[in-house]
Amino acid sequence: MTLSSDVARLLTRELDAFVREVDLFPDDASLWKVVPGITNPAGTLALHIAGNLQHFVGAVLGGSGYVRDREREFAVRGVSRDEVVAELRAAGRAVTTTLARLDDAALGEPYPAAPNALA
C-alpha cells in the first residue's frame, strides 16, 4: 500500500458513505430543506464537496480539465438526488484516477495552486 492509495481509499469510502446518506432522503425536495440553525441544506454540501474534490484533486493535481463553478454549488437548489449522486460519483472517479497516477513523493510536494485559489 502507498500513501496515495490510502488517501484514495479513504476519500472514496467517505464519498460512498455520502452517497448512501443522500439515498436515505425520502425524496428530492427533502435534500434541499433548510433546517433551522443550519445554513446550507445537504444537497448544497454534497455539491460543494463534489466540486471541491473534482477541482483540487482532479483538475489541479490530475489535470482533468474540470472547471469548477463554486458559486453554483451554493446557489443551485432542487437538483435531483440522482444528479447529486452523479456529482459525488464523478468526484470519486477524479480522486481514484488522479491518485492512482501520483506517487508518495508527489504527495509530499507543495500544492501547485496559489493560496488564494484555495478559498
Side-chain angles (χ1 to χ4, degrees), residues 3-92:
L3 177 60
S4 58
S5 67
D6 287 345
V7 171
R9 191 175 73 252
L10 290 172
L11 288 172
T12 56
R13 179 193 71 190
E14 297 307 314
L15 286 166
D16 289 344
F18 209 153
V19 166
R20 288 190 303 274
E21 292 294 326
V22 168
D23 287 339
L24 290 173
F25 281 84
D27 53 42
D28 292 345
S30 62
L31 185 63
W32 300 99
K33 184 176 180 182
V34 178
V35 179
I38 305 290
T39 305
N40 293 302
T44 297
L45 179 60
L47 293 177
H48 181 56
I49 288 171
N52 181 292
L53 289 171
Q54 289 180 83
H55 173 74
F56 289 113
V57 177
V60 176
L61 293 179
S64 70
Y66 176 82
V67 177
R68 186 177 190 190
D69 187 350
R70 191 175 187 277
E71 287 184 26
R72 180 185 181 280
E73 294 167 15
F74 287 96
V76 72
R77 294 291 188 270
V79 175
S80 73
R81 287 174 294 164
D82 289 342
E83 292 174 77
V84 171
V85 166
E87 286 297 315
L88 291 168
R89 295 279 186 224

